[in-house]
Amino acid sequence: MAYLASLSLYTVPLTGDQKVYLAISQEMWNAGSVFQPLLFDAPSYVKPPLQYLSILLSWKIFGVGLFSALLPSVLALLGTSAILGKISLHFQGREFASNAGLWFAASVGAWVFGTVAQMEILLCFMDALAWFFALQFLARTHWPSLFLAFVFAGLNAWVKSPVYSVFWVAGFLLYLFMTGNWWVIRHRRFYAAGFLGVCVGLVWYVAMFRMDPQNFWDQYFVQETFSKKNGNASTPLGLWGALLYWAFPGTLLLIPGVLRALRLVRAHRPLSHVWTLAICWVLPAFAFFSLHPYRVKPYLFVLVPPLMLVLDWTITHCRNDRVFVALLRSSGIGIAGLAVFASAFLIRAEWISWFVAAALMIASILALWAAWKRRLRGFAFSVILVLMSFRFAAADLGSHDLADLVAWSKAHPTVQVANLDPGKNVWNERTYVGLGIDREIGWKGSIEDAEAFVRQGGHLILSDEQWQSGGWSEKPGIQFLEWRRFKTRRKFPYGKILLQGRAALPNFDDETHRKFRIVTGLGAETRKSQ
């Protein structure tokens, strides 16, 4: 319920890629396309379709809207959490309380990717399903479970790339070796299950290549795959650091578990198979992305679920250790300090209401109290409340972000509106913004098309740069309304704003906002719309 409560509220963008995924889903919906992704009225094969299909299905059931666009991500989060709880019980037995799913839901990564239209949470869900059924097979020699495991591993290829299916298969083979279950690979049903998984994983790729070979080759293989071999500026340390961030607040709490596991190994004492599973789940993706020259911080979020299984084991065996207690309390202090600082900064900048700031601070105080009293479930639930309060703060910021556009939309409920996007890079987040105001926002790919659109009575959204470079102010009969949006990547003088408020910057709104204009050809002379 905490994750669903704010799902219909537009927030300042929390991730970058969802603007593309939502735009593709919108164009597929308009065109009635089910399996062929479309962007800018042309096929787009950069990513496979499972993310888009989940959004289309949600729109089919609940209607087109922001809530239904983000609902599949929340359901994937909840599904992953439930499956992690089942897997933890499988290893630890019912005499121990299983909270792996709760800790996953309370992680920063789950909050980020589970409440946006991003593919990473679906990867976690498919991985968890595949491992769950694989473990069911090994526990009961139930061959249908193995077939299901390979089907879900194959479906991972439909989320982002076939390489994620390869990660799972490599991890499963390693798990069979480490647990002494090599007998499985001598059975023909193992290969039948693997063949089924390969067919499931590749059917979309084969179908698209046969239907549109040149575009599929150019976009998926050349643009998305081969072009990344030269890498980017990211380092392995940045990738690993992001993983620790995604796993917070469980990051510090994992340390006592790792130390205990090392002591058990040195003493030649048995270690739970949950550690074996975690190693096999983590190792293929961790090694590949650490060595691959192209690295993006969200890549290792898929490893947070196995870390939460290890955290659940750690809590069972180390919750009374002095180191664990100290780290738990340190995490509570860190969360409370961050929440108080964020609340004070946002209030001084006059970007959120006192109600949201109070909710954030109260939730952080609860988290600190639970950490100090070693109420672990209470701490996890309090962290979820803190994260949801942050989302409400982002929604408060989002209401400011859309204020001018919402006022325009209410004044012009039937007028068509479009962005000028000659670079075809969805810089304007047109679909996400459109869902935020319950209006579809189109696009124009050239100045000529944009001018014709305005002459025909349409309203065009321009950035400040487009307004100036296109000479729109000099065009006869142009009327415009200013729309200001946050500069989400700007570095703020946090200390000065805390001390001086908005007076810290001479032109506070100009320094913190980008200026857009909604222009139309109505009116006899150039003037600002009232």
Side-chain angles (χ1 to χ4, degrees):
M1 291 303 295
Y3 281 101
L4 292 174
S6 63
L7 210 58
S8 61
L9 300 176
Y10 175 91
T11 70
V12 289
L14 300 174
T15 61
D17 289 342
Q18 75 164 347
K19 62 179 181 288
V20 178
Y21 304 150
L22 288 172
I24 291 175
S25 301
Q26 181 75 67
E27 292 201 23
M28 291 175 70
W29 175 266
N30 292 341
S33 175
V34 178
F35 293 105
Q36 184 182 47
L38 301 170
L39 184 62
F40 298 108
D41 300 327
S44 174
Y45 302 116
V46 175
K47 290 290 188 290
L50 193 59
Q51 175 74 50
Y52 318 135
L53 292 175
S54 65
I55 294 173
L56 294 178
L57 179 61
S58 184
W59 281 348
K60 184 71 174 178
I61 297 172
F62 301 104
V64 177
L66 185 59
F67 177 89
S68 50
L70 304 182
L71 181 61
S73 295
V74 174
L75 294 180
L77 185 158
L78 297 176
T80 304
S81 296
I83 295 165
L84 288 177
K86 295 287 187 182
I87 292 175
S88 187
L89 284 174
H90 172 84
F91 286 109
Q92 299 202 77
R94 296 191 177 275
E95 65 270 21
F96 297 102
S98 172
N99 294 304
L102 176 61
W103 287 106
F104 176 73
S107 68
V108 170
W111 168 69
V112 172
F113 297 112
T115 56
V116 298
Q118 198 86 3
M119 295 177 174
E120 280 71 17
I121 195 68
L122 285 178
L123 290 172
C124 291
F125 184 46
M126 293 300 163
D127 263 346
L129 279 170
W131 277 113
F132 172 76
F133 283 109
L135 293 172
Q136 291 296 304
F137 159 72
L138 291 174
R140 300 180 295 158
T141 318
H142 186 246
W143 287 100
S145 294
L146 185 64
F147 279 81
L148 284 173
F150 274 97
V151 165
F152 286 114
L155 283 175
N156 238 346
W158 284 53
V159 179
K160 206 168 186 180
S161 167
V163 72
Y164 290 93
S165 300
V166 175
F167 291 158
W168 185 87
V169 173
F172 182 56
L173 290 174
L174 182 61
Y175 186 79
L176 293 177
F177 172 75
M178 294 182 69
T179 57
N181 283 299
W182 271 113
W183 64 268
V184 175
I185 67 171
R186 295 196 296 268
H187 204 291
R188 64 179 184 274
R189 292 186 189 179
F190 171 81
Y191 297 97
F195 179 74
L196 176 61
V198 170
C199 291
V200 170
L202 294 183
V203 62
W204 177 82
Y205 295 88
V206 173
M208 293 300 104
F209 185 76
R210 293 192 62 181
M211 183 173 67
D212 192 3
Q214 189 60 53
N215 282 329
F216 188 83
W217 177 264
D218 290 342
Q219 293 182 31
Y220 185 77
F221 287 103
V222 176
Q223 176 186 339
E224 179 65 11
T225 306
F226 300 149
S227 66
K228 293 183 177 180
K229 67 181 181 180
N230 296 323
N232 55 6
S234 181
T235 64
L237 286 177
L239 197 67
W240 305 336
L243 173 60
L244 300 179
Y245 168 75
W246 300 133
F248 189 82
T251 308
L252 293 177
L253 304 183
L254 286 167
I255 295 175
V258 173
L259 296 176
R260 182 181 178 87
L262 291 174
R263 288 195 298 269
L264 291 173
V265 170
R266 283 199 296 266
H268 303 288
R269 295 175 61 186
L271 192 61
S272 170
H273 278 324
V274 73
W275 274 96
T276 308
L277 173 65
I279 291 169
C280 297
W281 193 332
V282 165
L283 190 59
F286 185 84
F288 178 85
F289 288 125
S290 297
L291 297 174
H292 194 273
Y294 190 90
R295 306 177 187 93
V296 179
K297 290 180 179 179
Y299 278 174
L300 291 189
F301 168 67
V302 295
L303 305 185
V304 172
L307 293 184
M308 295 304 102
L309 290 172
V310 171
L311 176 59
D312 203 30
W313 180 90
T314 299
I315 291 171
T316 300
H317 295 87
C318 306
R319 62 182 301 159
N320 294 319
D321 291 359
R322 285 181 295 176
V323 173
F324 181 87
V325 173
L327 292 173
L328 174 64
R329 289 173 174 173
S330 297
S331 298
I333 293 171
I335 290 170
L338 176 63
V340 170
F341 172 82
S343 300
F345 173 78
L346 293 171
I347 281 292
R348 293 291 285 161
E350 299 178 18
W351 284 342
I352 65 172
S353 67
W354 279 99
F355 175 79
V356 172
L360 181 55
M361 286 189 281
I362 290 171
S364 67
I365 291 171
L366 287 174
L368 177 59
W369 175 85
W372 212 260
K373 293 292 185 179
R374 294 187 287 173
R375 307 289 178 86
L376 291 168
R377 281 190 175 183
F379 177 66
F381 279 117
S382 298
V383 171
I384 290 177
L385 291 179
V386 170
L387 294 174
M388 289 303 100
S389 298
F390 270 114
R391 183 168 176 84
F392 278 111
D396 236 5
L397 289 168
S399 66
H400 291 292
D401 212 30
L402 290 187
D404 295 330
L405 191 60
V406 168
W408 165 86
S409 182
K410 291 180 178 179
H412 306 87
T414 60
V415 174
Q416 287 187 324
V417 60
N419 282 108
L420 176 60
D421 193 359
K424 294 185 178 180
N425 54 15
V426 206
W427 61 270
N428 41 58
E429 299 168 325
R430 55 184 167 89
T431 304
Y432 183 50
V433 171
L435 292 170
I437 63 171
D438 293 321
R439 291 280 293 274
E440 183 173 346
I441 298 176
W443 70 281
K444 299 300 170 185
S446 68
I447 297 291
E448 294 75 18
D449 289 343
E451 289 179 349
F453 177 72
V454 173
R455 283 195 297 269
Q456 293 167 7
H459 289 202
L460 185 71
I461 298 175
L462 300 171
S463 68
D464 196 39
E465 296 84 358
Q466 290 174 334
W467 169 265
Q468 294 176 13
S469 63
W472 287 87
S473 62
E474 300 174 1
K475 298 181 187 295
I478 288 294
Q479 183 180 6
F480 69 90
L481 171 72
E482 285 188 358
W483 166 33
R484 291 176 176 266
R485 298 188 70 186
F486 283 104
K487 294 179 179 178
T488 53
R489 297 186 182 273
R490 190 194 189 286
K491 293 184 178 180
F492 300 104
Y494 297 103
K496 288 185 178 180
I497 292 177
L498 280 173
L499 294 174
Q500 304 173 35
R502 295 171 68 90
L505 297 174
N507 301 304
F508 191 86
D509 286 333
D510 291 336
E511 291 283 340
T512 58
H513 290 73
R514 293 182 64 191
K515 187 184 296 182
F516 291 78
R517 289 174 177 84
I518 307 168
V519 304
T520 178
L522 298 178
E525 58 185 15
T526 303
R527 60 187 184 276
K528 185 175 179 178
S529 174
Q530 300 299 319

